[in-house]
Amino acid sequence: MNKAEFTQQLTNSLAGLSQYDINRSVDYYTEMIDDRVEDGMTEEDAVAALGSIDEIRSKILEEVPITKIVKEKMTPKRSFGAGEIVLLALGAPLWIPLLLAGIVVILAIYISFWSIIFSLYVADLSVFISGLAGLIVAAIKPGGPFGALFYAGCGIALIGVAILLFFGFNQVTKGLLYISKMIILGIKKLFVGGGKNET
């Protein structure tokens, strides 16, 4: 695909964004193509090196705040006629609860992700504190040297488990954050529209 075809496909895939964001993104990628052509690549190779239109579109959407996309999509491009205003008013008992339900579901999912992450680290902290408590009890030496040894062993084991859990929970957190990022990207794609175009 040449630069003109690439520019047209990228512009079409970003149709739901503001004209400013579309122009800024298209200008950025056409400048990249021009730079590569100046370095000796053919126009087709320079376009192919950028990746697919869908990958580029995803990168662009990740940078644009979802509030900006929703605002652009919800802002009317023209004035409403009298009939449309009447229909909106009559349909309000239907579309307002649906809109609110959608917002509540998205917020609930978002809060759930952060609640899970918070709970994991609180559980890890409690295991670590239990290990410290075991070491403190061992220092008091209840039940003689064997009791102190028992509590010290339990404390060290719990601290070790807490350290292992911390690294495991870090990986779980990265996974949950990736999933939430993909959900937000999917919502942005729904608002922006556009189809899959491959280079």
Side-chain angles (χ1 to χ4, degrees):
M1 141 180 358
N2 61 30
K3 184 171 83 169
E5 293 168 336
F6 170 82
T7 302
Q8 186 60 50
Q9 285 191 26
L10 183 59
T11 302
N12 291 343
S13 74
L14 300 173
L17 294 178
S18 68
Q19 196 58 49
Y20 169 79
D21 286 323
I22 294 172
N23 292 341
R24 183 173 59 89
S25 300
V26 170
D27 289 346
Y28 173 76
Y29 283 98
T30 52
E31 189 177 319
M32 285 178 69
I33 293 169
D34 292 338
D35 289 343
R36 290 176 182 192
V37 169
E38 285 176 14
D39 291 340
M41 292 179 83
T42 66
E43 198 172 273
E44 288 76 14
D45 289 341
V47 170
L50 294 175
S52 71
I53 294 288
D54 195 53
E55 290 168 348
I56 293 169
R57 178 176 173 246
S58 294
K59 288 177 191 172
I60 292 167
L61 291 179
E62 283 176 16
E63 296 171 6
V64 181
I66 193 167
T67 51
K68 189 174 184 182
I69 293 173
V70 171
K71 182 180 177 186
E72 180 65 27
K73 199 69 174 178
M74 301 304 264
T75 303
K77 306 292 185 233
R78 59 176 177 76
S79 308
F80 287 122
E84 292 169 323
I85 292 171
V86 169
L87 283 175
L88 279 173
L90 291 175
L94 179 63
W95 66 264
I96 288 177
L98 289 175
L99 178 66
L100 291 175
I103 292 169
V104 167
V105 167
I106 291 168
L107 281 174
I109 292 169
Y110 185 75
I111 290 169
S112 297
F113 276 112
W114 285 105
S115 297
I116 291 169
I117 291 168
F118 179 74
S119 300
L120 291 175
Y121 286 107
V122 166
D124 185 44
L125 182 63
S126 66
V127 172
F128 183 77
I129 290 171
S130 298
L132 289 179
L135 292 177
I136 291 168
V137 170
I140 300 170
K141 298 180 184 175
F146 292 113
L149 190 61
F150 172 77
Y151 285 114
C154 289
I156 291 169
L158 286 171
I159 290 171
V161 168
I163 292 169
L164 290 175
L165 286 176
F166 179 78
F167 290 113
F169 291 163
N170 280 346
Q171 295 306 311
V172 172
T173 299
K174 285 179 186 174
L176 288 173
L177 292 176
Y178 177 78
I179 291 169
S180 68
K181 179 181 170 185
M182 290 298 103
I183 290 171
I184 291 171
L185 183 60
I187 292 168
K188 288 179 179 181
K189 284 183 178 182
L190 284 174
F191 274 98
V192 171
K196 274 195 171 184
N197 298 298
E198 299 297 327
T199 53

